[in-house]
Amino acid sequence: MKMGERSESQMSFRGVRSSKFRHVYGSPARKHNCYECIKITKNAHDSYFCAVNPKFVAVVTESAGGGSFSVIPIEKTGRLEVGAGKVTGHRGPVLDIKWNPFNDNVIASCSDDCTIKLWFIPDEGLMRFNLTKPIMDLQHHRRRVGYIEWHPTAENILLSAGFDNLVLLWHISTGEVVKTIDCHPDSIYSVSFNRDGSLLATTCKDKMLRIIDPRHGKVLMEGPCHQGSKASKVVFLGDTGRVFTTGFSKYSDRQWAVWSQYDLRGPLKIENIDSSSGVIFPYYDHDTKMVFLVGKGDGNIRYYETVDEAPWCYYLHQFLTGSPQRGLGFMPKRGLDVMRCEIFRFYKLHATKELCEPISMIVPRKSEQFQYDLYPDTAAPTPAQTAEEWLNGQNRNPVLLSLKTGAGARTNKPVLYHPDKHYLTTADRNNERKFFFISQDNRVDYRESHINNNVINSNRALDDTNENKVIEITKNHPWLEDEEKEVSSGMILCDVVYSSALPVASYVTLDDTDSSSDPEIEPDGPQTEAEVCDLWSSNLNMLSLIVFFSIGQA
């Protein structure tokens, strides 16, 4: 080969690919920041067995009879007390648990007993008592329920997949099944919503990958998936129009693949990983476009970066440990430590120890400033639409929040159960109060204020009244009448905004277009001709005195 000529391999080499996530590393928590003495379940079911939010860590545990899981406040690290309370309402082993993305105190669990139950966890945790009564018990599956998934944008929509080959959509406020999806001939291995919840991807024992319209139960696209005999998993890559799957080849090699949701006849890319036997779970972070692959029974975590063009996915690195994992939960983005440049946090359940260990995935940065390129606006714990809007065909992207000001955001939404009507009510008092106040579009009437003292006294007495009682307020003020319309039977949805006596101006709502409805205001100025003359004479006398004193001083 002549000097100056390069081989084909040298011509194709373009150097190291540039990426801000190339040097991401895993940082396990120290011992005093771990959760110890947890009787982690030994069930062979392919599930995470752990669910985390900014308030609690929930772990499925072993139990002598029935099923149970522990709920630990996120800040209570260290050894778990021997007599710590558990959730023990299931009659069979618990197979999956998921926190409500819009309410940090509500968790759903499914079990071998063919039921899904919803639980409300108080802010202080379970202390030393067991929780046995759920706020809602959902019964319709004929066989055990293996997987549950919350809708990403619609409130009160829950999906469940059972070993009766059915996928059910639940409206949890009423406890009713709103849609039954019966298109799988065999056991369902995994389910995943896309970014706005308009599509559903599933993998099945028949080795097929399906894209389903969940509102109509119609299969939009279907194609052959991984051909191995073990379980395959699927996750939507956000709103990119692609899905990511993990599974086994017909030679039992573990592999991953990227697919277009519009054409499932073949993958965009497929790649073998190794020849281990553990099922691989994919975790996708939409903000960083990274995929984390975690094998059950492995001790490592591999991570990749997805792109919008071929080859679609790049291998970055892996986090290696010597202890295998039984399952992993992950913290929502709003619960991460942005000052450490933490982009993901796992909660590893050790297979050989009674230990739950947090593992932070960190981008090394020297600056202590907020890193805007690492933390775009992320999904907020606020639903973008109601269940009825979504069921009627509306699609909306998630509500977003900035992690510069919203990191660590938690929700506090009491949930009430009405046993007579068999439905749940969620009371978001902060948002209701804020939206009610903003909705009061008032205009100013610059006249002297004459406010009834009885109204002021009744408003000041609101602090001493019970929040669950409906208070009768005078009907002379339309804005108070609108408040009463927002009050449902048995509870107050928002607080009444205080009225105060203003010295020079009073506020009149837009409904008060007729001036005759306003209270009579006695005029301060002269009314008769004689009063006008008296006013002029007094003003002239005052003017003459001012002129006299001015001349005297001169």
Side-chain angles (χ1 to χ4, degrees), residues 309-526:
E309 58 186 7
W312 309 108
C313 190
Y314 288 96
Y315 172 78
L316 292 174
H317 203 48
Q318 64 178 337
F319 170 71
L320 295 171
T321 61
S323 52
Q325 56 236 1
R326 187 174 297 279
L328 282 97
F330 66 95
M331 174 69 75
K333 210 59 178 290
R334 57 191 168 92
L336 301 182
D337 186 355
V338 297
M339 292 298 103
R340 292 179 59 202
C341 296
E342 184 183 28
I343 60 171
F344 213 81
R345 188 192 303 165
F346 290 101
Y347 285 76
K348 175 180 176 179
L349 304 182
H350 284 246
T352 57
K353 306 176 186 176
E354 297 177 349
L355 179 68
C356 176
E357 178 187 25
I359 299 175
S360 299
M361 310 306 295
I362 297 176
V363 178
R365 293 279 176 94
K366 291 183 178 180
S367 175
E368 295 182 356
Q369 301 293 326
F370 179 78
Q371 306 294 315
Y372 288 94
D373 60 327
L374 298 182
Y375 301 107
D377 291 350
T378 191
T382 303
Q385 56 190 336
T386 64
E388 290 74 17
E389 290 173 341
W390 181 76
L391 291 172
N392 290 332
Q394 292 188 17
N395 294 324
R396 292 179 183 171
N397 287 323
V399 178
L400 303 179
L401 64 82
S402 171
L403 286 179
K404 183 175 183 180
T405 56
R410 301 181 177 187
T411 64
N412 185 11
K413 302 178 183 179
V415 177
L416 299 180
Y417 177 65
H418 300 261
D420 52 340
K421 299 181 180 179
H422 302 287
Y423 72 93
L424 296 178
T425 302
T426 302
D428 188 357
R429 300 185 58 81
N430 292 332
N431 282 343
E432 291 288 347
R433 187 188 302 113
K434 177 180 67 176
F435 294 146
F436 174 77
F437 178 77
I438 294 174
S439 65
Q440 300 305 305
D441 189 7
N442 295 331
R443 63 185 182 188
V444 180
D445 180 20
Y446 290 98
R447 293 178 288 181
E448 184 179 356
S449 175
H450 293 273
I451 299 179
N452 191 348
N453 291 331
N454 293 332
V455 178
I456 299 174
N457 294 333
S458 62
N459 286 334
R460 289 176 178 173
L462 286 177
D463 290 336
D464 301 328
T465 57
N466 192 333
E467 290 183 351
N468 294 325
K469 295 181 180 179
V470 179
I471 303 171
E472 292 293 332
I473 308 295
T474 177
K475 297 182 179 180
N476 293 332
H477 295 72
W479 63 275
L480 291 179
E481 293 179 1
D482 293 338
E483 163 79 15
E484 294 174 2
K485 295 177 183 178
E486 297 294 331
V487 179
S488 63
S489 59
M491 64 176 294
I492 300 178
L493 293 182
C494 59
D495 292 338
V496 177
V497 180
Y498 289 172
S499 66
S500 58
L502 301 177
V504 293
S506 63
Y507 293 87
V508 181
T509 62
L510 290 176
D511 295 335
D512 297 334
T513 56
D514 187 6
S515 60
S516 61
S517 63
D518 296 333
E520 294 186 2
I521 302 176
E522 296 183 3
D524 293 334

Side-chain angles (χ1 to χ4, degrees), residues 116-179:
I116 304 105
K117 299 182 188 295
L118 303 181
W119 312 87
F120 184 85
I121 310 298
D123 285 340
E124 64 274 9
L126 299 180
M127 308 299 287
R128 287 185 166 273
F129 64 89
N130 290 337
L131 185 61
T132 58
K133 293 184 179 180
I135 56 175
M136 184 65 74
D137 193 353
L138 308 177
Q139 301 183 15
H140 191 82
H141 283 282
R142 298 186 297 272
R143 295 185 63 187
R144 58 180 176 148
V145 186
Y147 307 98
I148 50 178
E149 196 74 36
W150 291 93
H151 195 279
T153 62
E155 190 174 27
N156 296 331
I157 293 293
L158 179 68
L159 178 144
S160 63
F163 282 79
D164 52 4
N165 307 337
L166 296 179
V167 176
L168 303 182
L169 283 176
W170 302 84
H171 192 317
I172 64 169
S173 292
T174 60
E176 298 177 352
V177 177
V178 294
K179 190 62 185 178

Side-chain angles (χ1 to χ4, degrees), residues 12-13 46 84 121 173 289 301 304 434 458 461 514 523 529 549:
S12 63
F13 178 74
D46 295 324
I121 310 298
S173 292
K289 303 295 189 294
I301 300 173
Y304 300 75
K434 177 180 67 176
S458 62
D514 187 6
E529 183 177 355
F549 282 110

Side-chain angles (χ1 to χ4, degrees), residues 58-352:
V59 180
V60 179
T61 57
E62 283 286 292
S63 57
S68 65
F69 59 94
S70 296
V71 179
I72 310 167
I74 199 76
E75 65 276 359
K76 289 190 177 180
T77 56
R79 290 178 176 270
L80 183 66
E81 296 181 5
V82 177
K86 297 180 180 179
V87 179
T88 59
H90 282 287
R91 291 174 296 153
V94 176
L95 301 181
D96 197 9
I97 51 177
K98 292 285 173 62
W99 288 103
N100 189 332
F102 310 124
N103 193 335
D104 288 341
N105 295 82
V106 173
I107 187 171
S109 61
C110 62
S111 170
D112 234 1
D113 61 5
C114 309
T115 66
I116 304 105
K117 299 182 188 295
L118 303 181
W119 312 87
F120 184 85
I121 310 298
D123 285 340
E124 64 274 9
L126 299 180
M127 308 299 287
R128 287 185 166 273
F129 64 89
N130 290 337
L131 185 61
T132 58
K133 293 184 179 180
I135 56 175
M136 184 65 74
D137 193 353
L138 308 177
Q139 301 183 15
H140 191 82
H141 283 282
R142 298 186 297 272
R143 295 185 63 187
R144 58 180 176 148
V145 186
Y147 307 98
I148 50 178
E149 196 74 36
W150 291 93
H151 195 279
T153 62
E155 190 174 27
N156 296 331
I157 293 293
L158 179 68
L159 178 144
S160 63
F163 282 79
D164 52 4
N165 307 337
L166 296 179
V167 176
L168 303 182
L169 283 176
W170 302 84
H171 192 317
I172 64 169
S173 292
T174 60
E176 298 177 352
V177 177
V178 294
K179 190 62 185 178
T180 300
I181 302 174
D182 187 7
C183 61
H184 298 88
D186 214 326
S187 300
I188 301 166
Y189 283 149
S190 68
V191 292
S192 175
F193 280 109
N194 67 343
R195 178 76 166 167
D196 61 5
S198 60
L199 295 176
L200 180 69
T202 65
T203 56
C204 182
K205 194 175 182 179
D206 66 350
K207 304 176 185 179
M208 299 294 287
L209 173 63
R210 293 176 175 87
I211 305 296
I212 302 171
D213 180 356
R215 281 174 289 219
H216 300 92
K218 180 182 178 182
V219 178
L220 304 178
M221 199 64 60
E222 185 177 18
C225 195
H226 301 279
Q227 297 304 302
S229 58
K230 293 185 179 180
S232 57
K233 301 293 180 180
V234 63
V235 63
F236 256 105
L237 296 180
D239 54 4
T240 63
R242 297 186 297 275
V243 294
F244 190 97
T245 61
T246 60
F248 294 80
S249 69
K250 58 183 178 180
Y251 302 109
S252 297
D253 293 326
R254 296 197 296 188
Q255 54 186 197
W256 60 262
V258 179
W259 311 73
S260 171
Q261 70 181 38
Y262 308 105
D263 185 4
L264 298 182
R265 289 175 297 179
L268 298 174
K269 183 176 182 180
I270 188 168
E271 187 174 295
N272 289 345
I273 301 174
D274 55 26
S275 299
S276 298
S277 59
V279 175
I280 293 183
F281 297 93
Y283 298 78
Y284 177 66
D285 179 18
H286 181 73
D287 298 336
T288 60
K289 303 295 189 294
M290 291 179 64
V291 176
F292 299 86
L293 301 186
V294 180
K296 195 169 185 179
D298 294 355
N300 56 351
I301 300 173
R302 298 175 176 87
Y303 35 100
Y304 300 75
E305 184 177 7
T306 62
V307 293
D308 294 331
E309 58 186 7
W312 309 108
C313 190
Y314 288 96
Y315 172 78
L316 292 174
H317 203 48
Q318 64 178 337
F319 170 71
L320 295 171
T321 61
S323 52
Q325 56 236 1
R326 187 174 297 279
L328 282 97
F330 66 95
M331 174 69 75
K333 210 59 178 290
R334 57 191 168 92
L336 301 182
D337 186 355
V338 297
M339 292 298 103
R340 292 179 59 202
C341 296
E342 184 183 28
I343 60 171
F344 213 81
R345 188 192 303 165
F346 290 101
Y347 285 76
K348 175 180 176 179
L349 304 182
H350 284 246
T352 57

